[in-house]
Amino acid sequence: MPLIFVGLGLERAGISVRGLEEARRADAVYAEFYTSIVPRLSVEELQQLIGKPVRVVDRKTVEENPDEILRRAKRERVVFLVPGDPMVATTHVDLRLRAHRMNIQTEIVHAGSILSAVAGAAGLQSYKFGASATIPFPDNPSSRPYEILVQNKQRGLHTLLLLDFRAEEERAMTANQAIEIMSGLERKHGKKVFLPETLAVVVARVGDPDARVRAAMIRELASQDFGDPPHSLVVPGALHFMEGEALKVFGGAPADVVDQLVR
Amino acid sequence: MPLIFVGLGLERAGISVRGLEEARRADAVYAEFYTSIVPRLSVEELQQLIGKPVRVVDRKTVEENPDEILRRAKRERVVFLVPGDPMVATTHVDLRLRAHRMNIQTEIVHAGSILSAVAGAAGLQSYKFGASATIPFPDNPSSRPYEILVQNKQRGLHTLLLLDFRAEEERAMTANQAIEIMSGLERKHGKKVFLPETLAVVVARVGDPDARVRAAMIRELASQDFGDPPHSLVVPGALHFMEGEALKVFGGAPADVVDQLVR
């Protein structure tokens, strides 16, 4: 029997019609909410929509003790609900590999992903994004996000920076904290890619009807309040004319700052 | 009144539950099928699912004469259905900008995108992809896909190559044609990033239940039949151990070829 990974997308009803059908016909439905946050989605509502109980599992269960899920999938149809697009997190690739080793067939039902949605919400072209990185909390520092930004900037590419999320501690990084961390890395490494006058874009709650896009200089963004998580941060590279227009119109970016980047 | 861009995702029922709700409560529903192919999705079925007529518009109408859509959106709720995730195509950013200039509010309802789905289907980590490129048909040649591949390879990043699609001519490029074109660019530029022994991944119909992933040396892939479009091509960079396992297990890649790339 199959183990079906179904994406919940980026908002309350972000699951696809096929994903919902798969959950409705499954013998057991599991869900995780530790890899990301889906704004305003509650387990109660999800259970109501699907019409059956949804068992929420934590990171430890999935990574260290997935036997219950796998044993069920051996004899029954099991759906595993995941925020966003389901295979973006490495931890689920691992679960899928384990299933295959037990001869359990797997399927993937896709949904909206932060990776493509952020570009669209900001009006930036997704093919012009370089590698992305996650900014970790300061108790687990890494200069990787800064290095990725330097490399992308050299090639004129946009950079998507995802922000750390620790479900077990109920902590999601805000764009303001991310800006502080990146500014610290700038002071340390000095490559001039994240200065107070650098243009950046904050996208909050992408995919939710309450999503917000704000494009401005980092010094302006640093003190603004973007509301509930998740937040993400984009540092644009060279801009096509239409991308520049989009940042002005959808993100309220100042024309002079944008026009300097248009090639 | 709003103009709502709703993604159809990657398969017949790939639209999100919210997207379907928006289409059902709209006064008018438009759809385009010229930016990409959604396997096995028919307009008839879509109309049945939504319960109202869906007006299919071609590229010319949307790009040169969008006034009908915009005039309706000025006074009514209008939904515009788009394959994949709706704002990936530049042409729709343009339509959204036009709407804003007319004081028409816009919303985006996301869905599965080929950009994040291909990585997931192949078991590759999406943050390790560099910039992507589309391989155009030979009557409109470009060396850009090859240059992007060279730049990504230098940094150990994966490269997603999308394949040209011309709805007006009913032509979608196959992975085999793409391999031929890229091999021609390799002979011309000689940077050794697309040789007969290079590991590549073909993903056909990603997101569809009939999706297929095949990872092998280019010389093996060149003559295989991958079935109906859309196809896409990935050239992996350096591989994490788990990515290597995934290419073997999900794509049938030969262990010795994969292991050379694992860092």
Side-chain angles (χ1 to χ4, degrees):
Chain A
M1 296 296 260
L3 173 59
I4 307 170
F5 294 86
V6 173
L8 289 169
L10 303 165
E11 57 170 322
R12 250 176 62 195
I15 190 172
S16 74
V17 170
R18 177 169 159 232
L20 181 58
E21 283 167 7
E22 294 288 3
R24 283 180 175 162
R25 69 189 271 240
D27 300 301
V29 180
Y30 293 85
E32 65 88 354
F33 296 101
Y34 59 81
T35 56
S36 192
I37 296 165
V38 184
R40 291 188 283 186
L41 179 72
S42 77
V43 179
E44 293 68 36
E45 219 178 350
L46 203 53
Q47 296 189 125
Q48 217 159 32
L49 186 69
I50 296 170
K52 64 182 67 167
V54 171
R55 168 119 192 258
V56 178
V57 287
D58 61 11
R59 185 187 293 272
K60 223 178 135 171
T61 306
V62 177
E63 294 185 357
E64 294 167 25
N65 193 21
D67 299 2
E68 183 197 322
I69 299 175
L70 293 170
R71 256 185 288 117
R72 285 204 78 157
K74 192 82 192 158
R75 357 171 274 272
E76 295 179 300
R77 287 187 78 82
V78 173
V79 156
F80 186 40
L81 302 170
V82 176
D85 196 33
M87 299 315 286
V88 167
T90 321
T91 159
H92 301 326
V93 178
D94 186 41
L95 183 61
R96 196 175 158 218
L97 281 169
R98 285 175 199 252
H100 272 255
R101 280 189 213 110
M102 290 172 65
N103 280 318
I104 298 165
Q105 190 199 325
T106 62
E107 287 177 41
I108 307 173
V109 181
H110 295 280
S113 160
I114 199 164
L115 297 166
S116 115
V118 164
L124 296 173
Q125 288 164 17
S126 25
Y127 71 88
K128 285 168 64 186
F129 277 74
S132 55
T134 297
I135 304 177
F137 279 116
D139 58 5
N140 179 30
S142 161
S143 53
R144 191 173 175 277
Y146 188 83
E147 287 158 17
I148 292 286
L149 175 59
V150 170
Q151 289 172 2
N152 288 342
K153 271 274 183 180
Q154 280 168 352
R155 289 172 54 194
L157 299 173
H158 309 322
T159 305
L160 169 63
L161 297 168
L162 301 171
L163 311 192
D164 205 354
F165 169 55
R166 290 194 195 149
E168 28 332 328
E169 300 170 24
E170 293 187 23
R171 279 210 288 170
M173 188 184 291
T174 63
N176 316 81
Q177 287 174 288
I179 287 171
E180 207 182 303
I181 294 168
M182 289 297 289
S183 300
L185 288 167
E186 174 63 50
R187 283 190 295 274
K188 190 170 160 193
H189 299 280
K191 304 280 191 193
K192 298 186 179 175
V193 293
F194 202 88
L195 297 167
E197 61 272 24
T198 302
L199 178 70
V201 190
V202 172
V203 183
R205 299 170 301 285
V206 65
D208 189 71
D210 183 40
R212 201 153 129 204
V213 178
R214 187 82 181 87
M217 285 190 285
I218 280 158
R219 83 159 76 87
E220 307 285 336
L221 297 171
S223 57
Q224 287 182 29
D225 180 2
F226 302 100
D228 288 336
H231 297 173
S232 43
L233 191 63
V234 175
V235 184
L239 293 171
H240 178 269
F241 171 79
M242 204 187 292
E243 293 180 307
E245 287 301 297
L247 289 182
K248 294 176 203 169
V249 173
F250 308 138
D256 55 334
V257 181
V258 167
D259 293 344
Q260 286 171 28
L261 294 173
V262 174
R263 300 281 174 272
Chain B
M1 297 296 260
L3 173 60
I4 307 168
F5 294 86
V6 173
L8 289 170
L10 302 165
E11 57 169 322
R12 251 176 61 195
I15 190 172
S16 74
V17 170
R18 178 171 158 230
L20 181 58
E21 282 166 8
E22 293 289 2
R24 283 182 175 161
R25 68 188 271 237
D27 299 301
V29 180
Y30 293 85
E32 65 88 354
F33 295 102
Y34 59 81
T35 56
S36 192
I37 296 164
V38 183
R40 290 188 284 187
L41 178 72
S42 76
V43 179
E44 292 68 35
E45 216 178 353
L46 202 52
Q47 297 189 124
Q48 218 159 30
L49 186 68
I50 296 170
K52 64 182 67 166
V54 172
R55 170 125 187 255
V56 178
V57 287
D58 61 11
R59 183 187 295 272
K60 223 179 137 173
T61 307
V62 177
E63 293 185 358
E64 294 168 24
N65 193 22
D67 298 3
E68 183 197 321
I69 299 175
L70 293 170
R71 256 186 288 117
R72 285 203 79 158
K74 193 81 191 158
R75 355 172 276 273
E76 297 178 298
R77 287 188 78 83
V78 173
V79 156
F80 186 40
L81 302 171
V82 176
D85 196 34
M87 299 316 286
V88 168
T90 321
T91 161
H92 302 325
V93 179
D94 186 41
L95 182 61
R96 196 176 158 218
L97 281 169
R98 284 175 199 253
H100 272 253
R101 280 189 213 108
M102 290 172 66
N103 281 317
I104 297 165
Q105 191 200 326
T106 61
E107 288 177 39
I108 306 173
V109 181
H110 295 281
S113 159
I114 199 164
L115 297 166
S116 115
V118 163
L124 297 173
Q125 286 164 18
S126 25
Y127 71 89
K128 284 170 62 186
F129 277 73
S132 56
T134 297
I135 304 178
F137 280 116
D139 57 5
N140 180 29
S142 162
S143 54
R144 191 174 176 278
Y146 188 83
E147 288 158 15
I148 292 286
L149 175 58
V150 170
Q151 290 172 3
N152 288 341
K153 271 273 182 180
Q154 279 167 353
R155 289 173 54 197
L157 299 173
H158 309 321
T159 305
L160 169 62
L161 297 167
L162 302 170
L163 311 192
D164 204 353
F165 169 56
R166 289 193 195 151
E168 29 330 331
E169 301 170 22
E170 292 186 25
R171 281 210 288 170
M173 187 184 290
T174 63
N176 316 83
Q177 288 175 288
I179 287 171
E180 205 182 305
I181 294 167
M182 289 297 289
S183 300
L185 289 166
E186 175 62 52
R187 284 190 294 274
K188 190 170 158 193
H189 298 280
K191 304 281 191 193
K192 300 186 178 173
V193 292
F194 202 89
L195 297 167
E197 61 273 24
T198 302
L199 178 71
V201 190
V202 172
V203 183
R205 299 171 301 285
V206 65
D208 189 72
D210 182 41
R212 200 151 128 202
V213 178
R214 187 80 183 89
M217 285 191 285
I218 280 159
R219 81 159 77 88
E220 308 284 335
L221 297 171
S223 58
Q224 286 182 30
D225 181 2
F226 302 100
D228 287 338
H231 297 175
S232 43
L233 192 63
V234 175
V235 184
L239 295 171
H240 178 269
F241 171 78
M242 204 187 291
E243 293 180 307
E245 287 302 297
L247 289 183
K248 294 175 204 168
V249 173
F250 308 139
D256 54 334
V257 181
V258 167
D259 292 343
Q260 287 171 26
L261 294 172
V262 174
R263 299 281 174 275

